[in-house]
Each structure stands twice: as structure tokens, then as C-alpha cells.
Amino acid sequence: MNEPLQVKAYAAADFASTDQALVERLDQLLRDADRWPAHGDCLIDLGCGPGNISERLARRWPRCTVVGVDAAEQMILEAEDRRRQNSIPSDRLQYVVAPLPWHAPSSQASLIVSNSLLHHLHDPQKLWGCLRPLAGSHCLVLHRDLRRPSSSAELDQLCECYTADAPELLQRDYRASLHAAFTVEEVKEQLRDAQLDHLQVRELEDRYLEISGWITGCQAGLDQPSA
């Protein structure tokens, strides 16, 4: 996801509704647990791309520090350009070019999210294995991604429904992403291998899956997940 044309296409695409839905879901999970990000907390957006969700997190919780992480340098350059254009201070929103697994130099996170990252990873444990080292003592994680269709006919139907009017590049990438996506059962097995099987995995709508729950970071000196 580092080609300039690809970066520009994703930056120009309108993902506002799905991006906002993720932030609203975070609100719901925090409300259900009666836990909220506190002043100075670190919120991490893994696979942040051009910064769509990172910016929403920074605006939703302005007293926190948001860190967006992506392996694609061109995506981070686009995200930084947006941050400056939208006058968001760098002490509230920071971007890092780094592949997974990534380990923060200092802060332990109270919130870790990713959106459409998992299917890009040849080794899913690069995501799951970095969560505890990044997490603080009570960290909410929320990861959303596509899920693989059960048949080629279903895949064709999804492409026709959601990308028929999109640029050719996005149509191509969407089809490839559906092919590369995981099923709910495959994700549950990944979480068992990572000893994160207390996290909830559920199907969303006709094409997404969601992984959510609370974890305790290994930096806190605890090996067991928080309640």
C-alpha cells in the first residue's frame, strides 16, 4: 500500500460512514465497561493508512495522545500532510512509519484499534503478538476487517454491490482483499494461538468481522487478561 497512485486513491475515497461507525462502537464498548480514556492516555491506531481513524480518535478524545502506525511511508506522509492541513497539534496526533510487530518506546496504550489491517498480514500473529507489549493495565482493543466470502459468487456479488462505481484500482484491491480476508473461525484460532481467546469475534453486516475486548499488557507485569 505504498504506491503513490494507490495512496492517493485511498486518501480520496469516502470511508466516512465506516470510520465513524468504528468510533461509535468504541464509545459503546467504553460506556458498557464504564471506562474512559483519561488525560494523557495513549491511543494507538495500527495500520492507520492516511490517518482517517487516527484523526477521528484525536478529535473524539482531545486530551489523549493518538499514535498512528503504518508500514507504508507514503501513507504516513499523506497522514502527516492532513494533520497539518487540519491544524491538529503533533503532541496530540503522531505518526510512525513501522512494520508490525511494533513496540512503543514508552507509553502503554489504553486503546488499540485497527481497521482493515488483518487481511494485509501474511502472518496474523504480527498483529496479535504486539497487543500485550503495547497495552497498559486496562486496554480496550477493537479490530475490524473484511471477512472472506463463502463462495466466488458471493465475492462477485459484494464487489458489484460496493465497488461497481469505484476507480479501477480500488475495485482491484477490494477483490484482492476479500480473497485475502479470514473467516471468523480462522480468527478465533489465531486468537487461541496468541492466548487472546477471551476476545469476542463476531460477524458484522454482510462482509465484516470484529474482534473486541479488554486486555492487560505484559508491561504491567501481569500475564492474565483483565476482566
Side-chain angles (χ1 to χ4, degrees):
M1 301 289 285
N2 203 36
E3 294 295 327
L5 288 178
Q6 195 175 31
V7 171
K8 291 298 182 184
Y10 277 87
D14 183 7
F15 299 117
S17 61
T18 54
D19 293 344
Q20 183 59 28
L22 186 141
V23 175
E24 290 174 359
R25 175 64 171 153
L26 287 170
D27 258 332
Q28 178 187 350
L29 292 168
L30 291 164
R31 191 181 308 112
D32 290 346
D34 195 24
R35 290 178 180 167
W36 302 94
H39 180 77
D41 275 5
C42 178
L43 317 180
I44 297 177
D45 180 13
L46 297 174
C48 66
N52 298 3
I53 290 173
S54 301
E55 284 197 13
R56 288 179 182 272
L57 296 177
R59 295 186 187 283
R60 175 64 184 85
W61 290 287
R63 299 187 304 161
C64 299
T65 298
V66 177
V67 181
V69 183
D70 202 286
E73 183 179 5
Q74 292 299 319
M75 284 289 189
I76 293 298
L77 289 174
E78 180 70 27
E80 274 289 351
D81 187 51
R82 283 184 173 188
R83 181 192 63 76
R84 289 189 293 269
Q85 289 181 22
N86 294 325
S87 302
I88 303 176
S90 58
D91 61 340
R92 286 183 45 219
L93 177 57
Q94 306 166 9
Y95 290 109
V96 177
V97 180
L100 295 183
W102 175 73
H103 301 298
S106 56
S107 300
Q108 298 175 24
S110 62
L111 177 66
I112 304 173
V113 303
S114 74
N115 187 51
S116 295
L117 169 63
L118 186 60
H119 73 268
H120 286 288
L121 303 175
H122 294 296
D123 179 7
Q125 294 305 325
K126 288 185 176 181
L127 171 59
W128 308 129
C130 77
L131 297 186
R132 289 195 190 280
L134 291 173
S137 57
H138 296 291
C139 179
L140 174 63
V141 297
L142 177 63
H143 305 279
R144 284 191 173 179
D145 210 304
L146 294 168
R147 69 175 187 270
R148 191 169 68 249
S150 58
S151 66
S152 58
E154 183 183 357
L155 189 149
D156 290 341
Q157 183 179 17
L158 289 170
C159 290
E160 176 64 25
C161 181
Y162 294 107
T163 63
D165 298 325
E168 184 178 349
L169 186 150
L170 294 184
Q171 291 187 40
R172 181 201 68 196
D173 282 4
Y174 188 70
R175 180 173 290 272
S177 294
L178 288 171
H179 272 295
F182 297 100
T183 66
V184 166
E185 288 306 316
E186 287 170 341
V187 172
K188 287 181 178 180
E189 183 176 356
Q190 295 166 16
L191 295 173
R192 285 193 292 269
D193 291 342
Q195 298 183 356
L196 291 169
D197 50 326
H198 68 287
L199 297 179
Q200 181 185 27
V201 185
R202 66 182 186 123
E203 295 185 353
L204 284 179
E205 302 173 8
D206 57 352
R207 63 199 188 280
Y208 296 120
L209 55 79
E210 176 188 277
I211 303 98
S212 64
W214 295 84
I215 63 172
T216 294
C218 58
Q219 295 184 54
L222 300 172
D223 296 324
Q224 299 300 319
S226 59

